[in-house]
Amino acid sequence: MRLRTTLRTALVAIAAAAALPAFADAALDGARARWQAAALTSYEYGYQKYCDCHRDNPPETVITVRGGSVAGVRHRPAGTTTEVPGRNPEYYWTVNGLFELIAAAQARGVQVRAAYDADLGFPREIYIDYDSNLIGDELDVRLTGVTRLDGAR
């Protein structure tokens, strides 16, 4: 009888732990729903990526998205308004890609912190630590804003 009670308690604990990701995803799901409701397919967003090489004032990267795909990348060095064309747009995220990045990290069970825009739902801040035992593997991205492109919904 005692073993049965212990096993039942363990199964309840395992089931409760398995349900935790569903609760953790509520903020992500709500933000994604707001973003989808905004129906932006052509927009620009900027972000700063914080790392050891740019702790206090990282450069801004500006991503142009048209028709739901990355169409251009520009970099704005810290402290200037000058923009430098970027290369390899396939290495950059759309806002939908940022949601996928967060969801994938949550599914892996790594440390994830994200804050979302109250109106449009896009991620304002993303922090992912893929391995707490390593230094330098973290992703720390802060969006500077999203702008709808002219003529775009």
Side-chain angles (χ1 to χ4, degrees), residues 9-91:
T9 302
L11 289 174
V12 168
I14 290 169
L20 283 178
F23 294 117
D25 293 344
L28 172 63
D29 292 342
R32 192 181 297 201
R34 287 192 307 278
W35 177 254
Q36 289 173 346
L40 286 160
T41 58
S42 295
Y43 56 90
E44 282 191 339
Y45 78 92
Y47 71 85
Q48 293 176 299
K49 184 177 178 184
Y50 290 79
C51 59
D52 286 338
C53 54
H54 300 292
R55 288 184 186 169
D56 299 322
N57 197 14
E60 181 182 27
T61 299
V62 179
I63 308 298
T64 302
V65 176
R66 292 198 183 277
S69 298
V70 174
V73 178
R74 303 183 314 273
H75 302 288
R76 187 176 297 137
T80 72
T81 57
T82 304
E83 292 184 349
V84 179
R87 292 184 214 134
N88 304 321
E90 66 274 10
Y91 294 128

